[in-house]
Amino acid sequence: MGSREEIVAAAAKVMREQGYAHATTKVIAQTAGYSEAMLYKHFRDKTDLFLSVMGEELPALGATLAELTADPGRAPLRDNLVRVARLSLAFYVEGFPIAVSVFSSRELLRSHRERLGEHGPRLLLDGVAAYLRAERRLGRVKAGTDVEAAAALLLGACFQQAFLATFEETEPADRAERLADVLLAGL
């Protein structure tokens, strides 16, 4: 493992323990066993590091959505929806402790929103909608289905379940199959 990967792993650990707002680059670098200068050789700033943590240390939801969108017919629709739900639940459970502190102040949220741009939370929603659109083209989702609403229902349910598990400090129940089945009934 190289210095970049070690810094990302340390950032994930520190951000899970302290939240994004309180995780400093100095502490992240120290946790990784490097200087802050080494951290800045790999990352422009803490937001750049945050994006790396979200993309590399959490379940690969974005990559899976891209894969499913490119080849939606490879597996049954239900199996794909269960896979998306399972990854979404895991992504949100692992991401909550890291991302929730972005909402601790309006200034931090505004700064984060401006910096993230197209990498913001809509990315996942758009990814699920794109996948469902590809399924609709194959005829496996009814014509006329509002895929954006269907995507919001699936991700919203996963988000809520992850929130409850995080708040209650419990393991999230594996509700992926149930969530997928309910959505599938409407598709």
Side-chain angles (χ1 to χ4, degrees), residues 36 54 56:
E36 248 185 309
M54 297 301 278
E56 299 168 31

Side-chain angles (χ1 to χ4, degrees), residues 1-86:
M1 183 184 290
S3 57
R4 184 190 182 287
E5 293 81 15
E6 290 171 331
I7 292 169
V8 171
K13 179 184 184 310
V14 172
M15 288 179 184
R16 278 187 186 104
E17 292 171 359
Q18 299 178 17
Y20 174 82
H22 297 289
T24 65
T25 54
K26 181 177 182 175
V27 170
I28 291 168
Q30 287 174 343
T31 302
Y34 294 102
S35 67
E36 248 185 309
M38 176 61 85
L39 183 147
Y40 284 113
K41 283 185 180 182
H42 294 288
F43 303 96
R44 183 169 56 174
D45 56 19
K46 191 167 78 167
T47 303
D48 193 27
L49 191 51
F50 171 83
L51 290 171
S52 294
V53 167
M54 297 301 278
E56 299 168 31
E57 290 289 312
L58 300 183
L61 182 55
T64 298
L65 291 170
E67 171 196 322
L68 290 173
T69 301
D71 188 14
R74 192 177 83 210
L77 175 59
R78 182 184 186 275
D79 293 355
N80 289 343
L81 289 174
V82 169
R83 183 176 174 200
V84 169
R86 232 177 232 128

Side-chain angles (χ1 to χ4, degrees), residues 56-184:
E56 299 168 31
E57 290 289 312
L58 300 183
L61 182 55
T64 298
L65 291 170
E67 171 196 322
L68 290 173
T69 301
D71 188 14
R74 192 177 83 210
L77 175 59
R78 182 184 186 275
D79 293 355
N80 289 343
L81 289 174
V82 169
R83 183 176 174 200
V84 169
R86 232 177 232 128
L87 280 170
S88 298
L89 285 163
F91 180 85
Y92 289 132
V93 164
E94 291 185 35
F96 262 117
I98 296 170
V100 73
S101 67
V102 169
F103 294 88
S104 64
S105 79
R106 289 184 187 272
E107 182 180 329
L108 180 58
L109 179 59
R110 184 175 28 261
S111 167
H112 204 69
R113 184 183 317 113
E114 289 168 2
R115 181 68 205 298
L116 288 179
E118 76 275 0
H119 299 293
R122 278 204 172 274
L123 191 64
L124 296 178
L125 186 63
D126 293 344
V128 174
Y131 161 64
L132 292 173
R133 219 174 275 110
E135 289 285 9
R136 190 173 59 192
R137 283 191 295 274
L138 289 178
R140 298 188 337 165
V141 168
K142 290 184 252 179
T145 297
D146 184 340
V147 295
E148 287 80 12
L153 288 170
L154 181 60
L155 290 178
C158 292
F159 186 90
Q160 179 66 25
Q161 293 299 312
F163 171 79
L164 290 172
T166 303
F167 182 80
E168 295 167 350
E169 294 186 325
T170 60
E171 286 297 315
D174 187 359
R175 296 191 183 344
E177 289 191 17
R178 290 173 49 204
L179 294 174
D181 286 341
V182 168
L183 183 65
L184 191 57

